[in-house]
Amino acid sequence: MEKWECVVCGYVYNEETGDEENGVAPGTKFADLPEEWVCPLCGAGKDEFEKK
């Protein structure tokens, strides 16, 4: 499983743990996140994330 970091604020999306607080189940790949998903800390879009 991969990790993706927000280049704006440093939040790390971990595919293994997902983002359950925002309706994303553990095991959800970053590529499978809905296009409207944004960083839960700063609101940056998916295009502001880089693979760690």
Side-chain angles (χ1 to χ4, degrees), residues 7-52:
V7 297
V8 177
C9 73
Y11 169 81
V12 175
Y13 174 77
N14 183 340
E15 294 179 344
E16 192 172 321
T17 58
D19 180 19
E20 289 193 282
E21 289 182 17
N22 294 294
V24 179
T28 302
K29 294 196 175 294
F30 187 79
D32 295 335
L33 289 172
E35 285 305 313
E36 63 272 5
W37 183 87
V38 295
C39 176
L41 295 184
C42 74
K46 287 176 62 178
D47 60 333
E48 297 291 336
F49 280 74
E50 294 180 350
K51 190 161 83 167
K52 283 191 75 166

